[in-house]
Amino acid sequence: MLAMERIFWIFGGFAAVVAVIYGFWSDFTEPVGVVGLTVGALLGFMIAGYLNITRRKLDGVPPEDDPLGEISDIAGDYGFFSPYSWWPLWLAASCALIFLGLAIGWWLVALGTFFVIPALVGWVFEYWKGPHAL
C-alpha cells in the first residue's frame, strides 16, 4: 500500500508540474490540456490521500508492506461479493442507450433514463429484500 501511495503522489505531482508548464507554454490559450492535466493531478492526489488515510488506520505494518511477510499473512475474509447478479447487465445496457442517445437524439436519452433508474435501484437494493436478503 505504501508503494502505491508513493506512485500516486509522484503521478499527481508530475501532472501538476506538467499542467503549469503546458499552461505557460501555450499561453493558456488552449485550456483543455491544462484542465485535463489538472484533473489528472487532483485524481492522483485524491487516490494517494485515500491510501495514506487507509494505511494510517491499519494497526502496524500491513502484510503487503512487510518485507518479511508471508503470503499466508494476508489470507482471510475480504468481504462479501455478490455471487451473481443480472442488475449490472441491465444498468450497463441502459447507460449505453443513454450515451447512444447523445449521438442520435434526446428522445433516446429519455428512453434510456426510463430504463436506467429501475436498474440502478434494483442493483442497490438487491440484497435488502427477496431471496438474497442479508
Side-chain angles (χ1 to χ4, degrees):
M1 189 177 296
L2 183 62
M4 291 190 315
E5 177 187 339
R6 287 179 182 163
I7 288 171
F8 280 107
W9 283 122
I10 291 170
F11 170 74
F14 174 77
V17 169
V18 170
V20 170
I21 292 171
Y22 184 80
F24 282 115
W25 193 328
S26 67
D27 294 328
F28 294 97
T29 57
E30 198 274 316
V32 175
V34 177
V35 170
L37 287 167
T38 304
V39 169
L42 292 174
L43 288 173
F45 290 143
M46 181 183 67
I47 295 171
Y50 169 76
L51 292 173
N52 185 355
I53 291 170
T54 304
R55 183 178 52 83
R56 284 188 288 147
K57 282 184 182 178
L58 296 174
D59 296 330
V61 177
E64 62 267 15
D65 289 340
D66 186 10
L68 301 175
E70 297 290 327
I71 292 177
S72 62
D73 292 342
I74 202 168
D77 188 20
Y78 284 100
F80 173 76
F81 297 97
S82 177
Y84 63 89
S85 177
W86 285 96
W87 290 112
L89 175 71
W90 302 121
L91 185 62
S94 55
C95 286
L97 193 64
I98 288 174
F99 288 119
L100 183 66
L102 293 175
I104 293 177
W106 289 105
W107 62 272
L108 200 53
V109 173
L111 182 67
T113 305
F114 178 74
F115 289 118
V116 81
I117 292 172
L120 184 62
V121 170
W123 193 22
V124 168
F125 295 112
E126 179 176 15
Y127 292 102
W128 285 30
K129 284 187 167 186
H132 301 296
L134 295 177

